[in-house]
Amino acid sequence: MKLIIQIPCYNEAETLEVALNDLPKHIEGIDVIEYLIINDGSKDNSETIAKEYASKYKNKIIYLKKENGGLSDARNYAIPYATGEYIAFLDSDDYVEVNMYEQMYEKAKKENADIVECDFLWEYPNEKIESKGRIYKDKHDILLNARVVAWNKLIKKELIEKTKVKFPYGLRYEDVEFFYKLIPYINKLDIVNKPFVHYVQRDNSISNSQNSRTKEIIDILDNVINYYKENAIYEEYKNELEYNYARYIL
């Protein structure tokens, strides 16, 4: 198997079922894709739905169950189970175009890229706004301008294994820390300029909730800077790191 797609879920039975309903369109005739569904201690009907699809598509879906630990914990937990060359992280409340992973995998193989990303749509109840990316000049450019989300990317598993980078446990903005830590070790990042991901915006979603946990971005940024210092690469990227710190705080 060449491409493993993670789908963590926690009490998201309704949106999980919507996401899994599209699976036959994604996997029919495509041999390189396998799905990992991670039940992060759900108390609703998520387990029943996930098991039903895992039973129906035994050669394509692996079902994993763990105690609740949050999104980062679920992603980290599943990485050792991913036997493919590339890993994709898909949130259960978003949905993607049918040919997304096939086209991105083809690009990754053609360019021997460590990471391939795609464009996406901010999907609001009454409008859609496209986020368009571009080819970056170098790692400094990536650090300043990259879209740090994990769910629009294929990432070579070897890169994650070599760097030992993980998603931070128990903190919001986990994608920021994860991606910023990978950047110095990326040999090639490529892009497919098609809006494959529908990033569904809901009023009650974590990303749209401003509360006391918003300040966790400071912990995330401190973790990133400490990581760069511990690995003796801080001075090389000091200007970009300090700019990002100020930008996020402001």
Side-chain angles (χ1 to χ4, degrees):
M1 203 58 60
K2 302 299 182 182
L3 170 58
I4 307 297
I5 302 169
Q6 280 196 18
I7 309 178
C9 63
Y10 174 69
N11 292 346
E12 295 170 316
E14 184 177 342
T15 55
L16 177 64
E17 188 164 27
V18 171
L20 295 182
N21 275 338
D22 280 340
L23 276 189
K25 302 174 187 176
H26 290 275
I27 60 182
E28 286 179 0
I30 303 176
D31 294 330
V32 300
I33 295 179
E34 185 173 276
Y35 286 80
L36 289 175
I37 302 175
I38 309 103
N39 178 5
D40 188 37
S42 297
K43 306 299 183 184
D44 65 356
N45 200 37
S46 296
E47 179 172 33
T48 301
I49 294 169
K51 281 186 172 181
E52 177 185 339
Y53 278 86
S55 177
K56 189 174 182 179
Y57 300 100
K58 293 180 180 178
N59 296 325
K60 294 290 187 179
I61 298 176
I62 296 173
Y63 172 70
L64 302 174
K65 183 178 180 179
K66 59 179 289 296
E67 293 184 1
N68 179 248
L71 178 60
S72 291
D73 194 48
R75 286 173 170 174
N76 292 334
Y77 176 83
I79 286 174
Y81 292 90
T83 57
E85 186 179 359
Y86 287 89
I87 301 177
F89 301 95
L90 177 63
D91 292 346
S92 61
D93 55 350
D94 298 328
Y95 65 100
V96 302
E97 296 295 322
V98 171
N99 57 350
M100 169 181 172
Y101 294 117
E102 183 178 15
Q103 290 193 31
M104 291 179 70
Y105 178 74
E106 288 175 356
K107 170 71 81 169
K109 292 300 292 180
K110 179 181 178 181
E111 303 296 336
N112 190 27
D114 291 319
I115 297 178
V116 172
E117 68 175 21
C118 68
D119 295 335
F120 57 89
L121 295 171
W122 293 82
E123 192 154 302
Y124 297 92
N126 299 315
E127 67 173 334
K128 297 178 181 180
I129 301 174
E130 184 173 348
S131 172
K132 297 181 179 180
R134 60 171 174 80
I135 296 293
Y136 303 103
K137 294 182 294 183
D138 53 28
K139 295 174 185 178
H140 298 273
D141 188 17
I142 297 174
L143 190 54
L144 280 177
N145 298 299
R147 298 172 293 184
V148 298
V149 295
W151 37 256
N152 76 328
K153 296 174 177 62
L154 301 190
I155 303 175
K156 189 175 285 187
K157 188 185 179 186
E158 182 182 12
L159 176 65
I160 299 174
E161 290 177 331
K162 281 185 175 181
T163 59
K164 296 181 172 58
V165 170
K166 294 185 177 181
F167 292 92
Y169 179 80
L171 294 174
R172 289 177 60 170
Y173 313 106
E174 61 278 330
D175 289 5
V176 175
E177 179 171 336
F178 179 78
F179 188 63
Y180 279 172
K181 285 182 175 180
L182 287 180
I183 288 173
Y185 307 103
I186 298 173
N187 291 316
K188 184 163 188 178
L189 190 158
D190 218 311
I191 188 169
V192 177
N193 282 122
K194 295 182 181 180
F196 284 135
V197 182
H198 296 255
Y199 183 34
V200 181
Q201 300 300 294
R202 295 179 174 85
D203 291 338
N204 61 346
S205 68
I206 293 175
S207 60
N208 287 324
S209 301
Q210 300 299 318
N211 52 41
S212 61
R213 295 198 62 190
T214 303
K215 67 178 182 294
E216 290 176 11
I217 187 61
I218 296 174
D219 297 319
I220 292 292
L221 296 172
D222 284 345
N223 289 346
V224 170
I225 286 178
N226 289 335
Y227 177 83
Y228 275 66
K229 288 180 177 180
E230 290 166 2
N231 287 277
I233 52 177
Y234 175 73
E235 291 300 324
E236 182 178 355
Y237 298 98
K238 178 179 179 180
N239 292 338
E240 291 81 12
L241 290 167
E242 291 185 352
Y243 173 82
N244 281 339
Y245 203 114
R247 179 168 61 90
Y248 274 102
I249 297 302
L250 293 173

